[in-house]
Amino acid sequence: MKRDKRFYHENIISTLYDIKSQNYKITEEDIKNVSKQYSLPTAKVKQLATFYEFLEETKPKYEILAKGPLISKKSTTIKSHPYDAFKKSLEQGPEYVLSEVKKSQLRGRGGAGFPAARKWESCKKVQNPEKYLLANGHNGDPGSNSDRYLMANHPHQLIEGMLIAAYAIGANKGIIYAEGEFTDSIKKLEKAIKEAHQEKLLGDNIMGSKFSFDLRIFPAAGVYVCGESTALMRAIEGKVGEPRLKHIHTAEKGLYDKPTALNNVETLINVPHIISIGGDEYAKTGTATSKGTKVFSLIGDVDQEGIIEVPMGTTLEHIVYVHGKRPWHTVKGIQFGGPLGGFLPKELLVGTELCFDALSKHGSMMGDALMVIGPDKPIPETTQYFTKFLEEQSCGKCVSCKEGLRRINELLEDLKTSKGEKSEELTNLILDLAENAKESSLCQLGQSIYNPVSSSIKHFKEEFTKK
């Protein structure tokens, strides 16, 4: 008998909430028990369990919202969000929107950091009466819940960001891709979309203009690889969620073979603020190549776990010690960017900024979760936690990815009982397999296996090659 996925996931969340209400917290043992009860990977259950509120320390001055900090001003009702930035966009025209977003230097918050304005311009140039704008609220990394939080607490700001983006590129249909487990977010979004329709902010000839745009939610099945753009589109079309070749860009031929622009939820939530204050003003926050703020989950061996918002350019040291309240001597390093991100030792936290280029330089990447690693946590086992998750989530289309991950996990298991030259040999084999996946895999999942494997071995090699 086929089970109702949405009801099934609501049961999991209810179970986790019951545990938390009784014990005031959810332990690793609880996660293992729930994982066994519902036959889900522990990483998936942990991702559902770690839905935290913002940390109090981030409240003072950083803002994505036009009227105050994102973390203190919620816009769950239409009365608290007047859509002024969208109204301004309609008055000024599509070229004005593209110009301001270009000035802001907004880059995609999904990890790759592609310039938003460049993506929109590519889609705008394609002549087609039917275009799609997609918001990716996948948030599939273990422990990451930032997009889930934003969708639940700022649904109208997301809708406004999508309206502005759709107006700029000429899209008339929009879809929010959200994991089916995020019932809290989906319910808030459904309510917000209904309110926007009632206020004539969605539908035909919006506010008396020639612009028409409608929006719906796609509750996804929670497959990790569907965070990749073409796999996500195939899933919406009702096909197997696996990536395809990109010899034709999705801006020309994407969802249902129509021109499609895809942005991360957090990226789109930045847009109303950019239009409100202007692109030049927005670009004053951040580094030379990474502008604005970043919202992500701070998890792991910290005294305060939660979702934080910090300006680009903040040092990783500041994030760990000020927001996470973790003393220097109790930190071994961090892992940033989810399973496809990289490991950094504590020595690099001091000068490394929260910046796309700085993180990439050290073999990591921008992501939705920063995990702090304590001194008692073995790096090889932590690496294997992520590679096992990736093996479970690999679609299997590329042998170098699926079989490469299987073999990497076998070798990591063998390392536990190996020493000296043998451990050196196994470590080199692991790197070779990761390098092969990087060079020959179709999508970012396979191509980025190299990040966690190479960075952990590079910075913590003594733990892999025991004497």
Side-chain angles (χ1 to χ4, degrees):
M1 180 176 158
K2 191 175 180 181
R3 70 190 181 204
D4 185 324
K5 286 183 179 176
R6 190 159 173 176
F7 178 71
Y8 177 73
H9 289 131
E10 284 181 351
N11 282 344
I12 298 170
I13 291 170
S14 296
T15 302
L16 292 167
Y17 281 161
D18 287 344
I19 293 170
K20 193 167 185 179
S21 62
Q22 291 171 17
N23 305 327
Y24 302 103
K25 64 178 180 179
I26 299 172
T27 66
E28 290 290 337
E29 192 62 34
D30 292 328
I31 289 170
K32 288 178 183 177
N33 291 336
V34 173
S35 172
K36 186 176 181 181
Q37 180 182 346
Y38 289 96
S39 300
L40 278 176
T42 54
K44 188 60 171 176
V45 176
K46 187 167 186 176
Q47 194 245 359
L48 292 173
T50 52
F51 183 28
Y52 300 102
E53 290 293 314
F54 271 94
L55 297 181
E56 294 294 319
E57 283 67 24
T58 64
K59 283 191 175 177
K61 57 186 177 181
Y62 313 126
E63 54 181 63
I64 290 175
L65 269 182
K67 290 191 174 183
L70 170 65
I71 53 179
S72 62
K73 297 254 186 177
K74 299 180 182 180
S75 55
T76 55
T77 65
I78 203 160
K79 289 180 180 179
S80 62
H81 197 91
Y83 286 75
D84 288 339
F86 171 58
K87 294 169 186 175
K88 181 180 178 181
S89 299
L90 284 180
E91 292 170 1
Q92 299 294 331
E95 293 302 328
Y96 169 81
V97 173
L98 285 169
S99 174
E100 292 304 312
V101 174
K102 187 180 287 186
K103 288 177 187 175
S104 75
Q105 300 177 54
L106 175 67
R107 296 174 67 173
R109 298 303 196 249
F114 194 80
R118 199 189 306 172
K119 182 182 289 188
W120 293 3
E121 285 175 333
S122 298
C123 196
K124 179 179 172 60
K125 289 175 184 176
V126 182
Q127 298 300 312
N128 195 303
E130 189 175 354
K131 289 183 185 180
Y132 283 90
L133 173 69
L134 308 182
N136 185 356
H138 181 58
N139 241 171
D141 295 342
S144 67
N145 282 292
S146 53
D147 286 342
R148 177 182 177 183
Y149 181 93
L150 294 174
M151 290 187 289
N153 291 287
H154 300 279
H156 282 291
Q157 187 168 339
L158 173 58
I159 294 170
E160 184 178 25
M162 294 188 73
L163 278 166
I164 296 168
Y167 177 62
I169 67 174
N172 50 10
K173 293 182 180 180
I175 298 172
I176 301 171
Y177 184 98
E179 290 204 36
E181 300 98 327
F182 296 171
T183 52
D184 41 10
S185 301
I186 290 173
K187 286 174 183 176
K188 295 285 182 63
L189 284 168
E190 287 172 342
K191 181 185 176 185
I193 290 171
K194 184 178 179 181
E195 289 178 336
H197 270 292
Q198 291 170 346
E199 295 295 322
K200 310 299 182 186
L201 289 163
L202 288 173
D204 296 331
N205 304 118
I206 298 170
M207 297 181 67
S209 70
K210 294 181 181 179
F211 174 58
S212 300
F213 184 69
D214 218 338
L215 185 60
R216 67 182 176 91
I217 303 163
F218 180 82
V223 180
Y224 183 72
V225 75
C226 286
E228 194 274 340
S229 60
T230 58
L232 181 150
M233 292 176 199
R234 284 177 58 86
I236 293 174
E237 292 170 348
K239 301 172 183 175
V240 175
E242 61 182 19
R244 65 164 173 81
L245 288 169
K246 294 182 182 177
H247 54 283
I248 300 177
H249 292 297
T250 55
E252 300 172 32
K253 202 172 182 181
L255 185 67
Y256 302 118
D257 289 336
K258 304 297 181 184
T260 306
L262 171 66
N263 289 109
N264 173 265
V265 160
E266 186 185 345
T267 309
L268 291 162
I269 273 183
N270 275 267
V271 175
H273 188 49
I274 291 169
I275 300 302
S276 294
I277 67 170
D280 289 332
E281 185 65 26
Y282 178 90
K284 289 179 181 178
T285 300
T287 70
T289 59
S290 301
K291 304 296 184 181
T293 65
K294 184 71 184 83
V295 179
F296 56 89
S297 300
L298 181 59
I299 60 174
D301 296 321
V302 289
D303 294 336
Q304 279 198 129
E305 289 186 302
I307 299 172
I308 64 171
E309 180 192 15
V310 295
M312 294 288 194
T314 304
T315 65
L316 300 179
E317 176 194 26
H318 181 89
I319 292 168
V320 173
Y321 304 124
V322 175
H323 296 290
K325 296 189 178 298
R326 194 70 176 180
W328 174 265
H329 68 278
T330 63
V331 174
K332 180 186 286 187
I334 66 164
Q335 200 278 348
F336 194 22
L340 299 176
F343 291 79
L344 296 177
K346 70 177 183 180
E347 292 77 19
L348 282 179
L349 305 185
V350 179
T352 303
E353 295 179 326
L354 183 65
C355 167
F356 288 99
D357 301 327
L359 290 168
S360 177
K361 176 185 174 182
H362 293 302
S364 188
M365 63 191 295
M366 193 72 72
D368 295 325
L370 187 156
M371 185 178 79
V372 178
I373 303 167
D376 299 327
K377 187 169 286 184
I379 296 298
E381 289 182 20
T382 308
T383 304
Q384 191 176 23
Y385 168 79
F386 288 114
T387 53
K388 278 187 174 180
F389 174 81
L390 292 171
E391 182 187 353
E392 290 169 351
Q393 296 297 321
S394 172
C395 72
K397 193 168 187 176
C398 302
V399 173
S400 58
C401 173
K402 186 69 173 181
E403 290 303 305
L405 280 164
R406 181 186 64 80
R407 188 67 185 122
I408 284 171
N409 284 318
E410 288 177 350
L411 293 170
L412 285 169
E413 197 65 35
D414 291 344
L415 267 176
K416 293 176 182 178
T417 56
S418 301
K419 292 183 179 181
E421 290 184 7
K422 182 63 177 176
S423 62
E424 186 82 39
E425 180 186 338
L426 294 175
T427 301
N428 290 333
L429 277 172
I430 290 169
L431 286 172
D432 287 344
L433 287 165
E435 179 71 35
N436 182 51
K438 178 182 177 181
E439 297 298 327
S440 57
S441 296
L442 187 60
C443 81
Q444 192 179 19
L445 192 156
Q447 292 166 7
S448 299
I449 292 168
Y450 188 75
N451 290 342
V453 170
S454 64
S455 62
S456 61
I457 292 173
K458 176 183 177 181
H459 297 302
F460 302 94
K461 191 167 184 179
E462 68 282 356
E463 293 194 36
F464 289 87
T465 56
K466 299 184 291 289
K467 301 299 181 185

